[in-house]
Amino acid sequence: MRAEHNVEHVRILLPPTTMVQSAGYYMALHKGFFKQQGLDVDLRLSRSRQSITQAVDDGDAEYGVSNADVLIEKGNGRALVAVAVLFQHSPAALLVLKNKGIDKLADLNDKRVLLLPELQDIEVISLLRKYHIQSINISSPSVTRDITTLVNNQFDALSINLTSGPYNVVRQGVDPIIFMPKEYGIDFYSEEANANPERVAAVRAAVLQGWEYALTHTEETLDVLLGLSQLPSLSSRNKMKYQLITMRDFILPDFVPLGYINQQHLRDMQQQLIDFDLIAKGSDFSQFIYIPPRAKIDWQVWGVWLKVIVATLLFNGLWLCYLLMINQRLKREVLERKRAEQHVRYAAMHDNLTGLANRALLMDTLEHILPLAKTGKISPVLLFMDLDRFKQVNDRYGHAAGDELLIAVALRISRLLGAPGELLIRLGGDEFVILLPNADLQYAALLSDKIERTLLQSFALTVCNVSIGISIGYSVYHSNMSADELLTRADNEMYAIKNEHHQKRKKIVC
């Protein structure tokens, strides 16, 4: 709008685009939002070649709906003020047909591009200048602006508005290529210009209310627009509905407050226009952005709200305490469940009597290390052990004495191990296994000798002192041996040695 222009009757100049792109203004008028603000509004449609910013500056209208060309006019010294931004992303684009030899932006060099008159296609113009495209730009109001101009080879590219252009193209069965300026770093606002504090605030509030209503009441908005256009056909309604829904992707009402002006984005737009020689460097943009006046505080109303807020905080505090108690209880239950699961997993992999690893853990460990052994990185060795004369102790003094002896044996052998990865396993009964993940026969023989000498010392059981022995067989991993083969070979070796011990000692010492 023109700065400091105060009139009783308000005229808003709309762009010569589809009615849907001005839906918010029509709904603000239809629903009486302007009247609620004490405004008498006349919505006027601009002519195709008429400059909206110039019309506002010349006093032909108090408000105008424009795009980024308002920045150029402001840079050229016109007294304009930006009141609100409705489209957070520009819907401007450039459309070409497939199979016409234009697959990328650079292919537009020396091609005929049909643009809107004046600077209504400022985004497309900026895109072409940014990438130094030397196209033949034509702005002619007498040329029909539809896809047939490309199909008939009158032009090579056509500027479109993404809220309506693709709908017509798809309905005609044409396969297009669309170059979107915002994907190439050109993303200008579509803006509204104005200024006169209280009246501007009233117009701004009514317009934003109209747009919010139009975007949330699609069917009613379509009824109003079709009534104004006097084209109540089903195809017209479907086309308008497509445009209204598509506009949400550019207005972003769910993410950005209607009318919000991002000052950094505005500064970026100004710099791009300077870089493209569309405005002069050092142009004065002071007082360009309208700042709504602060509303007067109604302390009586605020008192009521303060009570509501305090009550809400108190309720939320109590609710939060309850949720924290529930949360702590759930945490304890989850922790107890995890502990129970860990206990189950531990029990599945360990001997219940001695606490040593069991056969399941041994086989699982072998499955993990044998692939390394196949590559020659390690050399696993298994020691298979069976206690001599254990059955005699168990039969003579009972299972309690036998269990006590097994626990004592496991403790003595465990003290002899300590190298990384060495694992003592109780297979069951009086059978034990030691897994040496990376050893040789010399080390295995040395360890076997230590175990035999350690177990020759008597065990002080509750019932009496007993002396036993142990038979140890071992096997070294060879190429492609399985876990079962490694265990079986050590078992066979152990039984051969046990037969020798059986012939030498047949009595239990107590």
Side-chain angles (χ1 to χ4, degrees):
M1 147 187 170
R2 178 177 174 80
E4 301 179 358
H5 195 90
N6 186 17
V7 292
E8 193 67 26
H9 179 72
V10 175
R11 296 163 296 178
I12 300 179
L13 194 59
L14 303 178
T17 54
T18 62
M19 293 186 69
V20 177
Q21 293 179 37
S22 300
Y25 303 95
Y26 290 114
M27 293 310 294
L29 186 64
H30 177 77
K31 300 300 294 184
F33 298 148
F34 287 122
K35 287 185 178 180
Q36 292 173 13
Q37 297 290 340
L39 300 170
D40 180 20
V41 173
D42 179 19
L43 298 180
R44 298 184 177 183
L45 194 64
S46 66
R47 299 183 300 277
S48 61
R49 296 189 65 87
Q50 182 182 15
S51 170
I52 293 178
T53 51
Q54 181 178 345
V56 173
D57 192 42
D58 292 343
D60 295 337
E62 287 70 51
Y63 295 83
V65 180
S66 180
N67 59 10
D69 68 333
V70 70
L71 285 171
I72 297 178
E73 299 294 347
K74 178 66 176 178
N76 291 333
R78 292 192 182 276
L80 301 168
V81 176
V83 174
V85 167
L86 296 172
F87 282 68
Q88 294 298 323
H89 292 302
S90 170
L94 199 58
L95 182 144
V96 300
L97 299 182
K98 279 190 176 180
N99 303 320
K100 292 287 186 177
I102 304 175
D103 300 313
K104 55 184 181 298
L105 201 59
D107 294 335
L108 287 171
N109 276 303
D110 299 324
K111 301 297 183 181
R112 300 160 297 172
V113 179
L114 180 59
L115 301 176
L116 289 169
E118 302 298 331
L119 291 172
Q120 296 180 46
D121 276 327
I122 186 63
E123 295 91 342
V124 174
I125 294 173
S126 298
L127 172 65
L128 297 175
R129 290 196 180 186
K130 178 178 181 179
Y131 289 92
H132 309 290
I133 305 300
Q134 302 296 321
S135 57
I136 305 171
N137 300 336
I138 300 174
S139 301
S140 175
S142 62
V143 178
T144 303
R145 292 185 54 81
D146 59 33
I147 197 68
T148 57
T149 60
L150 303 185
V151 175
N152 297 333
N153 292 319
Q154 292 176 267
F155 292 91
D156 302 298
L158 170 69
S159 65
I160 64 167
N161 186 301
L162 289 173
T163 63
S164 58
Y167 180 86
N168 297 326
V169 173
V170 171
R171 283 186 57 87
Q172 294 184 41
V174 177
D175 194 9
I177 296 176
I178 297 177
F179 298 105
M180 298 174 61
K182 74 171 186 174
E183 294 182 351
Y184 293 84
I186 307 295
D187 190 13
F188 291 168
Y189 278 145
S190 291
E191 306 187 26
E192 177 184 349
N194 202 333
N196 183 328
E198 293 184 359
R199 186 170 298 280
V200 173
V203 172
R204 185 178 188 274
V207 168
L208 297 184
Q209 189 177 2
W211 271 108
E212 182 178 1
Y213 195 91
L215 293 172
T216 54
H217 297 76
T218 304
E219 297 302 327
E220 183 181 350
T221 301
L222 293 175
D223 291 338
V224 172
L225 296 180
L226 286 169
L228 293 172
S229 66
Q230 298 180 347
L231 295 172
S233 66
L234 180 60
S235 61
S236 297
R237 187 182 187 88
N238 290 339
K239 180 178 179 180
M240 285 186 173
K241 188 172 184 178
Y242 168 85
Q243 294 171 359
L244 194 58
I245 293 174
T246 304
M247 283 166 56
R248 293 182 64 89
D249 296 334
F250 299 93
I251 297 177
L252 302 177
D254 298 326
F255 304 99
V256 181
L258 285 172
Y260 173 71
I261 300 178
N262 186 321
Q263 297 193 34
Q264 181 58 51
H265 192 178
L266 202 58
R267 286 191 289 270
D268 293 341
M269 290 166 58
Q270 294 167 6
Q271 186 57 51
Q272 286 183 330
L273 292 175
I274 292 172
D275 294 342
F276 303 148
D277 296 325
L278 292 170
I279 59 175
K281 188 175 183 180
S283 298
D284 182 16
F285 286 96
S286 60
Q287 300 181 341
F288 178 57
I289 299 176
Y290 166 75
I291 301 176
R294 294 182 179 179
K296 295 180 180 180
I297 299 176
D298 188 338
W299 291 109
Q300 185 175 359
V301 174
W302 271 103
V304 175
W305 278 109
L306 186 60
K307 293 178 182 179
V308 173
I309 291 171
V310 170
T312 303
L313 290 175
L314 182 61
F315 173 78
N316 288 340
L318 294 173
W319 179 248
L320 181 61
C321 290
Y322 173 74
L323 290 179
L324 288 174
M325 292 172 57
I326 297 297
N327 187 48
Q328 290 299 321
R329 184 184 303 171
L330 290 174
K331 283 184 177 179
R332 286 195 298 271
E333 291 178 358
V334 170
L335 183 59
E336 290 173 0
R337 187 180 297 113
K338 286 183 177 180
R339 287 174 178 171
E341 291 174 354
Q342 290 173 355
H343 178 74
V344 170
R345 285 196 296 268
Y346 182 86
M349 293 292 185
H350 291 79
D351 176 50
N352 188 45
L353 175 65
T354 62
L356 298 177
N358 61 14
R359 176 184 288 270
L361 183 55
L362 170 64
M363 302 308 289
D364 184 70
T365 304
L366 286 173
E367 290 297 327
H368 282 83
I369 68 171
L370 288 185
L372 290 176
K374 289 181 180 179
T375 63
K377 294 182 179 180
I378 59 174
S379 177
V381 177
L382 276 186
L383 274 64
F384 199 110
M385 302 174 290
D386 187 89
L387 301 183
D388 296 337
R389 300 181 298 281
F390 171 77
K391 185 176 184 304
Q392 295 171 316
V393 174
N394 208 43
D395 292 344
R396 184 170 181 178
Y397 300 107
H399 291 293
D403 290 346
E404 187 179 359
L405 178 58
L406 290 173
I407 294 172
V409 168
L411 183 61
R412 285 193 189 181
I413 298 176
S414 296
R415 290 172 179 169
L416 299 177
L417 304 180
E422 292 184 348
L423 183 64
L424 176 60
I425 303 102
R426 183 189 175 208
L427 290 183
D430 61 344
E431 293 181 336
F432 295 84
V433 170
I434 294 177
L435 170 61
L436 306 176
N438 190 22
D440 53 25
L441 290 177
Q442 183 178 359
Y443 178 77
L446 181 63
L447 180 60
S448 298
D449 184 62
K450 287 182 181 180
I451 294 172
E452 288 178 353
R453 284 188 283 108
T454 298
L455 295 191
L456 285 176
Q457 301 175 24
S458 65
F459 290 86
L461 305 181
T462 302
V463 293
C464 70
N465 292 349
V466 299
S467 295
I468 61 171
I470 190 168
S471 300
I472 305 175
Y474 50 83
S475 64
V476 181
Y477 175 82
H478 295 293
S479 179
N480 294 323
M481 285 182 69
S482 66
D484 287 329
E485 290 173 339
L486 190 64
L487 187 62
T488 300
R489 181 170 295 186
D491 187 17
N492 294 336
E493 179 76 14
M494 181 274 297
Y495 274 109
I497 295 173
K498 190 173 185 67
N499 289 333
E500 296 177 7
H501 287 184
H502 184 69
Q503 295 173 3
K504 294 178 181 178
R505 295 184 181 182
K506 296 185 180 181
K507 293 183 179 180
I508 178 171
V509 179
C510 180

